[in-house]
Amino acid sequence: QVQLVESGGGSVQSGGSLRLSCTASEYTSRNYCMGWFRQAPGQEREAVATVEKDGTTDYAGSVKGRFTISQDNAKNTLYLQMNSLKPEDTAMYYCAASRTILTCERKEYTFWGQGTQVTVSS
């Protein structure tokens, strides 16, 4: 099974930028759908940005226009470029992957990284 390791989290002021990285233990392009999820204290986990096996991307409304998900297939790495960060973006961010059509469509991913904390101060 694929293993995922996130990096790039940290603390930033409102309006700043961060880029998260997620390195997979195997080649994921066209084999897995992948995505970034986040969970703030006391809140449910939400899908932030996802990319399907065919490269189609999807974003939560709250981040559309500010966040960009991308992949570097040569490096087996998934990125999340986060611009114009807001305090409400503060959360633990998780990279996730899945193989089946059903889990990808439902965004009920199978494989998860350990998470990286993003903190945005006002």
Side-chain angles (χ1 to χ4, degrees), residues 8 11-19 66 81-85:
S11 297
V12 65
Q13 289 191 327
S14 182
S17 298
L18 284 173
R19 189 177 77 159
R66 300 188 297 123
Q81 178 66 45
M82 305 185 294
N83 297 329
S84 302
L85 282 161

Side-chain angles (χ1 to χ4, degrees), residues 107-121:
K107 292 184 169 54
E108 295 174 355
Y109 285 27
T110 306
F111 306 106
W112 294 84
Q114 82 288 353
T116 186
Q117 178 68 37
V118 171
T119 302
V120 184
S121 58

